[in-house]
Amino acid sequence: MALSRGLRCCQRVFSWIPVLIITSVALWSYYAYVFELCLFTLTNTFEKVAYLLVFHVCFVMFSWTYWRSIFTPAASPCKKFQLSYSDKQRYEMEERPDAQKQILVEIAKKLPIFTRAQSGAIRFCDRCQVLKPDRCHHCSVCETCVLKMDHHCPWVNNCVGFSNYKFFLLFLSYSMLYCVFIAATVFQYFLKFWVGDLPNGPAKFHVLFLMFVALMFFVSLMFLFGYHCWLVAKNRSTLEAFSAPVFVSGPDRNGFNVGIRRNLQQVFGENRRLWFIPVFTSQGNGHYFPLKNRSSESHNPLLANEDMWEESDDGSEEGSLESESN
């Protein structure tokens, strides 16, 4: 017991190593660009001021989105998806698998659940003891079920899901912008150092490596960002791209695809002025998502009033996911 607890503690410590690497590279790039390039190498005052202003805007947005991706808690299913004490007793006392499945089917009728396991059964997490909402998956690293889980990202040491997917996308986009700006403004001085037009010194090493590192990160980020843009346009998560969600009618990769405009609004919200700012604006609460084929929704009488299931046991509303996940 003590050994496993110690191993988990070590795992949590080591899981921060990728974040420390990214943070170290970002801090080094700040020093190299601001001090070695702008303050020690540039001689034109206007150019120096312009570079510093734009650089700090890019750096602040990059840092802000990275911070939100790391420290926004992964949202988990609300209490309505947990088994009640009586249901849990019934489920655990029942030894027949078919009877257990039927118990879950009866409970799921009260919830907006349309996806199924590969076997056709209601998706149930034995470790969290919850019925999984649509697009929810259990993360073995975070040891919890995550709403609209996309993947567990070691570079942010967090699950990317409903509560922080927008922040993750913005982090990728501002990281690319940060790399492009550095590469574009450093390029002429990179050439001057390379051919020997500028004197050798500490700045040469930093400028040369700034160029290489910026281009290297930009290329890798470009492919990752492009892939996630495609996922958003199709309204799929990374997990759903590899394994199509299963509905009553069978597997369907486009089951949640409701058109590009609505797909974008689900992630970024309806207010376009807030799309590029790392504040939570995603639609819904992560427990229910509109389906491409709404005919299956008509079989669930709960969706005649979609707000019914969001109420807590005492009748008061639980509020939006933004308050639940923060």
Side-chain angles (χ1 to χ4, degrees), residues 5 14 38 43 49 64 69 72 75 105-106 118 125 128 133 154 161 175 186 238 247 252 258 261 267 270 277 282 286:
R5 192 175 302 170
F14 286 126
C38 292
T43 55
V49 172
W64 189 6
S69 300
T72 300
V105 168
E106 292 175 6
Q118 292 293 334
C125 181
C128 297
S175 297
V186 164
T238 299
F247 299 87
D252 185 0
V258 290
R261 184 178 64 85
V267 177
E270 296 182 6
I277 301 175
S282 300

PDB file of all heavy atoms in Angstrom, residues 5 14 38 43 49 64 69 72 75 105-106 118 125 128 133 154 161 175 186 238 247 252 258 261 267 270 277 282 286:
ATOM      1  N   ARG A   5       1.430   3.975  -3.088  1.00  0.00           N
ATOM      2  CA  ARG A   5       1.235   5.398  -2.823  1.00  0.00           C
ATOM      3  C   ARG A   5       2.479   6.188  -3.195  1.00  0.00           C
ATOM      4  O   ARG A   5       2.405   7.281  -3.769  1.00  0.00           O
ATOM      5  CB  ARG A   5       0.891   5.604  -1.351  1.00  0.00           C
ATOM      6  CG  ARG A   5       0.397   7.006  -1.015  1.00  0.00           C
ATOM      7  CD  ARG A   5      -0.032   7.085   0.437  1.00  0.00           C
ATOM      8  NE  ARG A   5      -1.088   6.115   0.744  1.00  0.00           N
ATOM      9  CZ  ARG A   5      -1.501   5.844   1.977  1.00  0.00           C
ATOM     10  NH1 ARG A   5      -0.900   6.421   3.016  1.00  0.00           N
ATOM     11  NH2 ARG A   5      -2.469   4.967   2.177  1.00  0.00           N
ATOM     12  N   PHE A  14       6.914  13.395 -11.745  1.00  0.00           N
ATOM     13  CA  PHE A  14       7.509  13.263 -13.073  1.00  0.00           C
ATOM     14  C   PHE A  14       6.577  13.782 -14.171  1.00  0.00           C
ATOM     15  O   PHE A  14       7.060  14.167 -15.254  1.00  0.00           O
ATOM     16  CB  PHE A  14       7.883  11.812 -13.346  1.00  0.00           C
ATOM     17  CG  PHE A  14       9.093  11.347 -12.598  1.00  0.00           C
ATOM     18  CD1 PHE A  14       9.043  10.213 -11.793  1.00  0.00           C
ATOM     19  CD2 PHE A  14      10.290  12.054 -12.669  1.00  0.00           C
ATOM     20  CE1 PHE A  14      10.165   9.787 -11.088  1.00  0.00           C
ATOM     21  CE2 PHE A  14      11.414  11.629 -11.969  1.00  0.00           C
ATOM     22  CZ  PHE A  14      11.359  10.498 -11.180  1.00  0.00           C
ATOM     23  N   CYS A  38      16.904  42.230 -28.970  1.00  0.00           N
ATOM     24  CA  CYS A  38      16.375  43.602 -29.003  1.00  0.00           C
ATOM     25  C   CYS A  38      17.273  44.608 -28.278  1.00  0.00           C
ATOM     26  O   CYS A  38      17.541  45.696 -28.806  1.00  0.00           O
ATOM     27  CB  CYS A  38      14.967  43.620 -28.416  1.00  0.00           C
ATOM     28  SG  CYS A  38      13.749  42.757 -29.445  1.00  0.00           S
ATOM     29  N   THR A  43      19.983  48.233 -33.220  1.00  0.00           N
ATOM     30  CA  THR A  43      20.439  49.617 -33.025  1.00  0.00           C
ATOM     31  C   THR A  43      19.358  50.630 -33.375  1.00  0.00           C
ATOM     32  O   THR A  43      19.394  51.761 -32.895  1.00  0.00           O
ATOM     33  CB  THR A  43      21.679  49.884 -33.894  1.00  0.00           C
ATOM     34  OG1 THR A  43      21.385  49.575 -35.265  1.00  0.00           O
ATOM     35  CG2 THR A  43      22.860  49.032 -33.426  1.00  0.00           C
ATOM     36  N   VAL A  49      11.517  49.092 -30.425  1.00  0.00           N
ATOM     37  CA  VAL A  49      10.253  49.296 -29.704  1.00  0.00           C
ATOM     38  C   VAL A  49       9.125  48.483 -30.344  1.00  0.00           C
ATOM     39  O   VAL A  49       8.320  47.846 -29.650  1.00  0.00           O
ATOM     40  CB  VAL A  49       9.889  50.789 -29.653  1.00  0.00           C
ATOM     41  CG1 VAL A  49       8.485  50.999 -29.086  1.00  0.00           C
ATOM     42  CG2 VAL A  49      10.902  51.566 -28.823  1.00  0.00           C
ATOM     43  N   TRP A  64      -0.834  32.938 -21.310  1.00  0.00           N
ATOM     44  CA  TRP A  64      -2.187  32.913 -20.744  1.00  0.00           C
ATOM     45  C   TRP A  64      -2.921  31.643 -21.172  1.00  0.00           C
ATOM     46  O   TRP A  64      -3.529  30.952 -20.345  1.00  0.00           O
ATOM     47  CB  TRP A  64      -2.941  34.160 -21.200  1.00  0.00           C
ATOM     48  CG  TRP A  64      -4.270  34.379 -20.541  1.00  0.00           C
ATOM     49  CD1 TRP A  64      -4.820  33.672 -19.524  1.00  0.00           C
ATOM     50  CD2 TRP A  64      -5.223  35.407 -20.870  1.00  0.00           C
ATOM     51  NE1 TRP A  64      -6.055  34.180 -19.192  1.00  0.00           N
ATOM     52  CE2 TRP A  64      -6.333  35.240 -19.997  1.00  0.00           C
ATOM     53  CE3 TRP A  64      -5.240  36.436 -21.812  1.00  0.00           C
ATOM     54  CZ2 TRP A  64      -7.440  36.075 -20.052  1.00  0.00           C
ATOM     55  CZ3 TRP A  64      -6.352  37.283 -21.865  1.00  0.00           C
ATOM     56  CH2 TRP A  64      -7.433  37.097 -20.986  1.00  0.00           C
ATOM     57  N   SER A  69      -4.821  26.064 -20.101  1.00  0.00           N
ATOM     58  CA  SER A  69      -4.846  24.658 -20.504  1.00  0.00           C
ATOM     59  C   SER A  69      -4.366  23.755 -19.381  1.00  0.00           C
ATOM     60  O   SER A  69      -4.889  22.650 -19.197  1.00  0.00           O
ATOM     61  CB  SER A  69      -3.965  24.450 -21.744  1.00  0.00           C
ATOM     62  OG  SER A  69      -4.415  25.212 -22.827  1.00  0.00           O
ATOM     63  N   THR A  72      -6.940  24.522 -15.767  1.00  0.00           N
ATOM     64  CA  THR A  72      -8.400  24.370 -15.793  1.00  0.00           C
ATOM     65  C   THR A  72      -8.736  22.917 -15.508  1.00  0.00           C
ATOM     66  O   THR A  72      -8.349  22.031 -16.284  1.00  0.00           O
ATOM     67  CB  THR A  72      -8.981  24.765 -17.158  1.00  0.00           C
ATOM     68  OG1 THR A  72      -8.665  26.132 -17.424  1.00  0.00           O
ATOM     69  CG2 THR A  72     -10.497  24.584 -17.169  1.00  0.00           C
ATOM     70  N   ALA A  75     -13.496  18.584 -16.418  1.00  0.00           N
ATOM     71  CA  ALA A  75     -14.866  18.483 -15.911  1.00  0.00           C
ATOM     72  C   ALA A  75     -15.311  17.026 -15.858  1.00  0.00           C
ATOM     73  O   ALA A  75     -15.069  16.250 -16.783  1.00  0.00           O
ATOM     74  CB  ALA A  75     -15.812  19.290 -16.791  1.00  0.00           C
ATOM     75  N   VAL A 105     -29.908   0.191 -18.102  1.00  0.00           N
ATOM     76  CA  VAL A 105     -30.815   0.703 -19.137  1.00  0.00           C
ATOM     77  C   VAL A 105     -31.959   1.482 -18.498  1.00  0.00           C
ATOM     78  O   VAL A 105     -32.344   2.565 -18.972  1.00  0.00           O
ATOM     79  CB  VAL A 105     -31.360  -0.457 -20.001  1.00  0.00           C
ATOM     80  CG1 VAL A 105     -32.513   0.021 -20.881  1.00  0.00           C
ATOM     81  CG2 VAL A 105     -30.250  -1.048 -20.860  1.00  0.00           C
ATOM     82  N   GLU A 106     -32.521   0.965 -17.406  1.00  0.00           N
ATOM     83  CA  GLU A 106     -33.628   1.637 -16.719  1.00  0.00           C
ATOM     84  C   GLU A 106     -33.191   2.993 -16.161  1.00  0.00           C
ATOM     85  O   GLU A 106     -33.922   3.984 -16.252  1.00  0.00           O
ATOM     86  CB  GLU A 106     -34.147   0.748 -15.588  1.00  0.00           C
ATOM     87  CG  GLU A 106     -34.835  -0.525 -16.075  1.00  0.00           C
ATOM     88  CD  GLU A 106     -35.213  -1.433 -14.914  1.00  0.00           C
ATOM     89  OE1 GLU A 106     -35.030  -1.010 -13.748  1.00  0.00           O
ATOM     90  OE2 GLU A 106     -35.680  -2.562 -15.172  1.00  0.00           O
ATOM     91  N   GLN A 118     -19.331  -0.790 -27.282  1.00  0.00           N
ATOM     92  CA  GLN A 118     -19.249  -1.592 -28.511  1.00  0.00           C
ATOM     93  C   GLN A 118     -20.208  -2.775 -28.478  1.00  0.00           C
ATOM     94  O   GLN A 118     -20.708  -3.210 -29.513  1.00  0.00           O
ATOM     95  CB  GLN A 118     -17.807  -2.094 -28.696  1.00  0.00           C
ATOM     96  CG  GLN A 118     -16.792  -1.005 -29.001  1.00  0.00           C
ATOM     97  CD  GLN A 118     -16.996  -0.365 -30.352  1.00  0.00           C
ATOM     98  OE1 GLN A 118     -17.545  -0.976 -31.266  1.00  0.00           O
ATOM     99  NE2 GLN A 118     -16.554   0.879 -30.490  1.00  0.00           N
ATOM    100  N   CYS A 125     -18.884   3.304 -15.891  1.00  0.00           N
ATOM    101  CA  CYS A 125     -17.524   3.268 -15.370  1.00  0.00           C
ATOM    102  C   CYS A 125     -17.532   2.603 -13.996  1.00  0.00           C
ATOM    103  O   CYS A 125     -18.091   3.153 -13.037  1.00  0.00           O
ATOM    104  CB  CYS A 125     -16.937   4.672 -15.280  1.00  0.00           C
ATOM    105  SG  CYS A 125     -15.238   4.703 -14.659  1.00  0.00           S
ATOM    106  N   CYS A 128     -15.391   4.878 -11.376  1.00  0.00           N
ATOM    107  CA  CYS A 128     -16.031   6.115 -10.899  1.00  0.00           C
ATOM    108  C   CYS A 128     -17.476   5.890 -10.461  1.00  0.00           C
ATOM    109  O   CYS A 128     -18.083   6.770  -9.863  1.00  0.00           O
ATOM    110  CB  CYS A 128     -15.989   7.188 -11.987  1.00  0.00           C
ATOM    111  SG  CYS A 128     -14.326   7.699 -12.441  1.00  0.00           S
ATOM    112  N   PRO A 133     -21.848  10.028 -19.592  1.00  0.00           N
ATOM    113  CA  PRO A 133     -22.567  10.843 -20.584  1.00  0.00           C
ATOM    114  C   PRO A 133     -21.954  10.653 -21.969  1.00  0.00           C
ATOM    115  O   PRO A 133     -20.839  10.137 -22.103  1.00  0.00           O
ATOM    116  CB  PRO A 133     -22.352  12.278 -20.077  1.00  0.00           C
ATOM    117  CG  PRO A 133     -21.951  12.140 -18.644  1.00  0.00           C
ATOM    118  CD  PRO A 133     -21.230  10.835 -18.545  1.00  0.00           C
ATOM    119  N   PRO A 154       0.455  15.219 -22.126  1.00  0.00           N
ATOM    120  CA  PRO A 154       1.552  15.342 -21.150  1.00  0.00           C
ATOM    121  C   PRO A 154       2.177  16.730 -21.149  1.00  0.00           C
ATOM    122  O   PRO A 154       2.745  17.148 -20.141  1.00  0.00           O
ATOM    123  CB  PRO A 154       2.555  14.282 -21.620  1.00  0.00           C
ATOM    124  CG  PRO A 154       2.253  14.068 -23.061  1.00  0.00           C
ATOM    125  CD  PRO A 154       0.780  14.266 -23.202  1.00  0.00           C
ATOM    126  N   GLY A 161     -10.381  18.315 -22.563  1.00  0.00           N
ATOM    127  CA  GLY A 161     -11.770  17.913 -22.702  1.00  0.00           C
ATOM    128  C   GLY A 161     -12.679  19.121 -22.789  1.00  0.00           C
ATOM    129  O   GLY A 161     -12.254  20.215 -23.181  1.00  0.00           O
ATOM    130  N   SER A 175       0.838  29.664 -29.886  1.00  0.00           N
ATOM    131  CA  SER A 175       2.195  29.121 -29.943  1.00  0.00           C
ATOM    132  C   SER A 175       2.747  29.229 -31.354  1.00  0.00           C
ATOM    133  O   SER A 175       3.917  29.602 -31.561  1.00  0.00           O
ATOM    134  CB  SER A 175       2.203  27.647 -29.507  1.00  0.00           C
ATOM    135  OG  SER A 175       1.791  27.509 -28.171  1.00  0.00           O
ATOM    136  N   VAL A 186      13.685  37.452 -36.552  1.00  0.00           N
ATOM    137  CA  VAL A 186      15.060  37.050 -36.272  1.00  0.00           C
ATOM    138  C   VAL A 186      15.821  36.713 -37.555  1.00  0.00           C
ATOM    139  O   VAL A 186      17.057  36.774 -37.582  1.00  0.00           O
ATOM    140  CB  VAL A 186      15.060  35.840 -35.299  1.00  0.00           C
ATOM    141  CG1 VAL A 186      16.407  35.136 -35.268  1.00  0.00           C
ATOM    142  CG2 VAL A 186      14.694  36.295 -33.897  1.00  0.00           C
ATOM    143  N   THR A 238     -10.416  13.467 -30.524  1.00  0.00           N
ATOM    144  CA  THR A 238      -9.349  12.578 -30.990  1.00  0.00           C
ATOM    145  C   THR A 238      -9.742  11.116 -30.780  1.00  0.00           C
ATOM    146  O   THR A 238      -9.501  10.272 -31.643  1.00  0.00           O
ATOM    147  CB  THR A 238      -8.041  12.880 -30.229  1.00  0.00           C
ATOM    148  OG1 THR A 238      -7.656  14.233 -30.490  1.00  0.00           O
ATOM    149  CG2 THR A 238      -6.924  11.955 -30.674  1.00  0.00           C
ATOM    150  N   PHE A 247     -24.028   4.377 -31.443  1.00  0.00           N
ATOM    151  CA  PHE A 247     -25.387   4.755 -31.076  1.00  0.00           C
ATOM    152  C   PHE A 247     -26.283   3.520 -31.139  1.00  0.00           C
ATOM    153  O   PHE A 247     -25.808   2.417 -31.478  1.00  0.00           O
ATOM    154  CB  PHE A 247     -25.906   5.844 -32.023  1.00  0.00           C
ATOM    155  CG  PHE A 247     -25.098   7.116 -31.989  1.00  0.00           C
ATOM    156  CD1 PHE A 247     -23.979   7.278 -32.798  1.00  0.00           C
ATOM    157  CD2 PHE A 247     -25.434   8.146 -31.129  1.00  0.00           C
ATOM    158  CE1 PHE A 247     -23.220   8.423 -32.757  1.00  0.00           C
ATOM    159  CE2 PHE A 247     -24.686   9.306 -31.076  1.00  0.00           C
ATOM    160  CZ  PHE A 247     -23.574   9.450 -31.894  1.00  0.00           C
ATOM    161  N   ASP A 252     -21.186   5.603 -35.739  1.00  0.00           N
ATOM    162  CA  ASP A 252     -21.333   6.732 -36.660  1.00  0.00           C
ATOM    163  C   ASP A 252     -20.315   7.804 -36.284  1.00  0.00           C
ATOM    164  O   ASP A 252     -20.458   8.478 -35.265  1.00  0.00           O
ATOM    165  CB  ASP A 252     -22.757   7.301 -36.586  1.00  0.00           C
ATOM    166  CG  ASP A 252     -22.986   8.396 -37.623  1.00  0.00           C
ATOM    167  OD1 ASP A 252     -22.045   8.707 -38.385  1.00  0.00           O
ATOM    168  OD2 ASP A 252     -24.104   8.945 -37.659  1.00  0.00           O
ATOM    169  N   VAL A 258     -23.059  18.669 -36.649  1.00  0.00           N
ATOM    170  CA  VAL A 258     -24.284  19.436 -36.915  1.00  0.00           C
ATOM    171  C   VAL A 258     -24.005  20.625 -37.831  1.00  0.00           C
ATOM    172  O   VAL A 258     -24.745  21.611 -37.821  1.00  0.00           O
ATOM    173  CB  VAL A 258     -24.925  19.910 -35.593  1.00  0.00           C
ATOM    174  CG1 VAL A 258     -25.510  18.748 -34.821  1.00  0.00           C
ATOM    175  CG2 VAL A 258     -23.908  20.660 -34.720  1.00  0.00           C
ATOM    176  N   ARG A 261     -20.662  25.677 -38.819  1.00  0.00           N
ATOM    177  CA  ARG A 261     -20.950  26.855 -37.990  1.00  0.00           C
ATOM    178  C   ARG A 261     -21.343  26.451 -36.575  1.00  0.00           C
ATOM    179  O   ARG A 261     -20.803  26.985 -35.596  1.00  0.00           O
ATOM    180  CB  ARG A 261     -22.058  27.697 -38.630  1.00  0.00           C
ATOM    181  CG  ARG A 261     -22.364  29.004 -37.868  1.00  0.00           C
ATOM    182  CD  ARG A 261     -23.428  29.801 -38.600  1.00  0.00           C
ATOM    183  NE  ARG A 261     -24.694  29.091 -38.632  1.00  0.00           N
ATOM    184  CZ  ARG A 261     -25.606  29.137 -37.656  1.00  0.00           C
ATOM    185  NH1 ARG A 261     -25.362  29.847 -36.557  1.00  0.00           N
ATOM    186  NH2 ARG A 261     -26.740  28.479 -37.768  1.00  0.00           N
ATOM    187  N   VAL A 267     -17.643  24.845 -29.508  1.00  0.00           N
ATOM    188  CA  VAL A 267     -16.330  24.982 -28.867  1.00  0.00           C
ATOM    189  C   VAL A 267     -16.061  26.409 -28.442  1.00  0.00           C
ATOM    190  O   VAL A 267     -15.607  26.672 -27.319  1.00  0.00           O
ATOM    191  CB  VAL A 267     -15.210  24.494 -29.822  1.00  0.00           C
ATOM    192  CG1 VAL A 267     -13.830  24.710 -29.184  1.00  0.00           C
ATOM    193  CG2 VAL A 267     -15.406  23.027 -30.163  1.00  0.00           C
ATOM    194  N   GLU A 270     -21.053  31.619 -29.128  1.00  0.00           N
ATOM    195  CA  GLU A 270     -21.732  32.409 -30.153  1.00  0.00           C
ATOM    196  C   GLU A 270     -21.140  33.812 -30.301  1.00  0.00           C
ATOM    197  O   GLU A 270     -21.294  34.443 -31.342  1.00  0.00           O
ATOM    198  CB  GLU A 270     -23.229  32.505 -29.829  1.00  0.00           C
ATOM    199  CG  GLU A 270     -23.940  31.150 -29.860  1.00  0.00           C
ATOM    200  CD  GLU A 270     -25.423  31.266 -29.590  1.00  0.00           C
ATOM    201  OE1 GLU A 270     -25.915  32.415 -29.491  1.00  0.00           O
ATOM    202  OE2 GLU A 270     -26.086  30.221 -29.471  1.00  0.00           O
ATOM    203  N   ILE A 277     -10.022  34.859 -27.094  1.00  0.00           N
ATOM    204  CA  ILE A 277      -9.629  35.193 -25.729  1.00  0.00           C
ATOM    205  C   ILE A 277      -9.841  33.956 -24.855  1.00  0.00           C
ATOM    206  O   ILE A 277     -10.897  33.323 -24.925  1.00  0.00           O
ATOM    207  CB  ILE A 277     -10.456  36.378 -25.191  1.00  0.00           C
ATOM    208  CG1 ILE A 277     -10.254  37.597 -26.081  1.00  0.00           C
ATOM    209  CG2 ILE A 277     -10.066  36.713 -23.754  1.00  0.00           C
ATOM    210  CD1 ILE A 277     -11.112  38.783 -25.713  1.00  0.00           C
ATOM    211  N   SER A 282     -17.659  28.006 -24.288  1.00  0.00           N
ATOM    212  CA  SER A 282     -18.219  26.839 -24.980  1.00  0.00           C
ATOM    213  C   SER A 282     -19.686  26.650 -24.619  1.00  0.00           C
ATOM    214  O   SER A 282     -20.119  26.963 -23.504  1.00  0.00           O
ATOM    215  CB  SER A 282     -17.429  25.576 -24.613  1.00  0.00           C
ATOM    216  OG  SER A 282     -16.071  25.705 -24.979  1.00  0.00           O
ATOM    217  N   GLY A 286     -21.523  20.049 -21.206  1.00  0.00           N
ATOM    218  CA  GLY A 286     -20.680  18.874 -21.386  1.00  0.00           C
ATOM    219  C   GLY A 286     -21.368  17.542 -21.178  1.00  0.00           C
ATOM    220  O   GLY A 286     -20.765  16.495 -21.408  1.00  0.00           O
TER     221      GLY A 286
END
